[in-house]
Amino acid sequence: MHLSPVLFLNIGLMAMLIVVAIAVVRMRSLFAIVMLQGVYSLLSAVWFVSLDAVDVAFTEAAVGAGVSTVLMLGAMLLTDRDVKPIATKQKLGPLLVVIVTGVAMFYAIGDMPAYGDGMSPANAYIGAEYIEATKREIFLPNVVTAVLASYRGYDTFGETVVIFMAGLGVLLLLGLNGNAGQWRAKPNGRNIAKNVTPPRKHIEEAEEKPKVKKTRKAAKPRVRKKS
Amino acid sequence: MNPHVILRVVAKMLIPLIALFAFYVQFHGDFGPGGGFQAGVIFASSIILYALIFGMAAAKKAMPPSWVRIGMSLGVLLYGGTGVATWLLGGNFLDYTRFAPESTHAAGQHWGIFSVELGVLCTVACAMLAIFYAFGSRVQDLSDEDW
């Protein structure tokens, strides 16, 4: 193996990925973790570019570093800012499983085809056919688009439906304006409907109030009867 | 004076460019890297950036939630509708050659891919925005010290 600048770049990128991953595991502040996950995505996007997978790198940078970081921040604001460490016993069983799997994977590296090998199973049969047929049948310079939208149109349709379902699921749970079916509550038999979910404090008050009022109402008639 | 004035001015210049870049990625996807999915996410992120800097209410004025709801389903319908259209033209589901059977440079394929990618753009952009709206609307507006 000759030493090329690309090799050093790849080793550097992989080392940075490992450093970021360890930092994510060790951190306690969720804000920093979300930001580091964005960094991780950007680093892997760079790495994908160096592997010539430009389309994948594009997606990783846009989805992993862009949108999902914002969504994680939104989720974080709704929950908590810090991770509370949970004391766990040292478990030897899971550790053993992880080590055995890792060693098996390293053992399997020797059987993997060389990077970019034209005769590897992934490149030889259907892949070569698509590359050859795209020029003849679809007349598009970007083979990825041809495979994605035409040869594998069914798969992409499925993916689109999956994304639609994901959006739909979140909408059913949270509502498009954060008010699934509008926020309704019936404290003390009184209907309360609001366009927006009230902040936490108000919910707790609404939960506590009925108890107080119920006892009052229950108490009042008795007094009246006596008088 | 707003402490984020630099952020606002820069964002105001960048947001149209980001949205424009999304459409470049969309319509240039046949020739270079990119396509409906990436373009959808980039377009959604331009609106998300707007919401982060100018507030959720302004973003909802620019891109109303009802559009988002309709766009999500419209994309899937456009994709599926392309397949149904090829059915009606006598081909298999998503057999785009039926759009221009006599073409020598596969114009039917180009039309099919164009329409399908447009559907993907619509669904992805709107689904991402829907998820962002759903999470973002639950959070009350934060002051700078709260971060």
Side-chain angles (χ1 to χ4, degrees):
Chain A
M1 200 200 301
H2 69 289
L3 294 173
S4 66
V6 177
L7 182 72
F8 285 113
L9 183 75
N10 282 343
I11 291 173
L13 281 173
M14 288 308 254
M16 277 157 88
L17 278 180
I18 293 172
V19 169
V20 172
I22 291 173
V24 166
V25 172
R26 301 294 302 173
M27 284 258 179
R28 289 281 169 257
S29 158
L30 279 178
F31 186 81
I33 289 176
V34 171
M35 286 302 151
L36 278 178
Q37 281 177 343
V39 171
Y40 190 93
S41 285
L42 275 182
L43 282 175
S44 18
V46 175
W47 193 57
F48 288 142
V49 171
S50 92
L51 289 178
D52 280 343
V54 198
D55 282 87
V56 183
F58 212 153
T59 316
E60 181 66 41
V63 180
V67 172
S68 70
T69 306
V70 174
L71 291 183
M72 292 291 251
L73 279 181
M76 182 199 82
L77 288 176
L78 289 176
T79 52
D80 217 341
R81 304 294 173 89
D82 291 299
V83 181
K84 280 149 199 94
I86 303 165
T88 46
K89 280 181 244 163
Q90 286 184 333
K91 285 173 183 148
L92 284 178
L95 186 69
L96 205 69
V97 171
V98 169
I99 288 174
V100 169
T101 318
V103 169
M105 283 171 128
F106 270 103
Y107 179 72
I109 285 177
D111 279 346
M112 273 176 69
Y115 171 65
D117 182 7
M119 297 312 291
S120 70
N123 292 332
Y125 308 103
I126 195 105
E129 244 169 66
Y130 282 148
I131 292 171
E132 199 269 324
T134 299
K135 276 185 267 175
R136 190 157 33 80
E137 291 175 358
I138 304 195
F139 294 88
L140 280 186
N142 188 0
V143 184
V144 178
T145 301
V147 172
L148 216 70
S150 187
Y151 292 117
R152 294 277 172 192
Y154 275 37
D155 294 8
T156 312
F157 187 38
E159 276 164 29
T160 312
V161 174
V162 164
I163 291 164
F164 173 70
M165 295 303 278
L168 204 64
V170 172
L171 286 197
L172 284 175
L173 286 174
L174 296 181
L176 193 50
N177 294 312
N179 55 342
Q182 301 233 324
W183 189 78
R184 275 176 217 282
K186 260 189 165 182
N188 196 20
R190 196 160 48 102
N191 263 315
I192 291 183
K194 279 189 175 176
N195 291 329
V196 191
T197 318
R200 249 276 158 49
K201 272 185 278 172
H202 293 223
I203 297 177
E204 278 156 15
E205 278 171 18
E207 278 166 357
E208 281 167 18
K209 265 182 187 170
K211 283 180 190 170
V212 183
K213 281 194 174 174
K214 259 185 188 171
T215 47
R216 261 188 207 165
K217 263 201 170 177
K220 267 183 184 173
R222 274 182 204 165
V223 178
R224 275 179 192 166
K225 268 183 187 175
K226 274 183 184 176
S227 65
Chain B
M1 197 166 147
N2 195 298
H4 300 308
V5 67
I6 296 175
L7 206 59
R8 285 182 175 222
V9 170
V10 173
K12 239 181 191 171
M13 289 196 294
L14 277 181
I15 287 166
L17 290 180
I18 294 173
L20 197 64
F21 182 63
F23 289 110
Y24 167 77
V25 169
Q26 167 77 16
F27 298 116
H28 208 255
D30 302 355
F31 306 99
F37 189 83
Q38 290 91 333
V41 173
I42 292 171
F43 183 75
S45 63
S46 76
I47 306 239
I48 289 175
L49 182 62
Y50 187 68
L52 288 182
I53 288 169
F54 294 96
M56 197 54 119
K60 279 185 177 167
K61 236 183 204 170
M63 183 88 185
S66 56
W67 292 13
V68 168
R69 209 176 46 211
I70 293 167
M72 252 169 80
S73 18
L74 200 68
V76 175
L77 283 178
L78 191 58
Y79 203 130
T82 310
V84 174
T86 54
W87 259 346
L88 296 178
L89 291 169
N92 290 324
F93 192 66
L94 297 176
D95 175 16
Y96 311 133
T97 36
R98 292 282 160 180
F99 287 126
E102 273 97 48
S103 170
T104 48
H105 60 280
Q109 290 283 341
H110 296 177
W111 280 115
I113 291 174
F114 180 83
S115 130
V116 153
E117 293 274 10
L118 212 58
V120 175
L121 168 90
C122 228
T123 295
V124 171
C126 290
M128 296 291 160
L129 275 178
I131 297 174
F132 175 70
Y133 279 174
F135 274 95
S137 306
R138 291 217 147 199
V139 185
Q140 302 296 312
D141 276 343
L142 290 169
S143 63
D144 291 340
E145 287 77 30
D146 285 348
W147 284 94

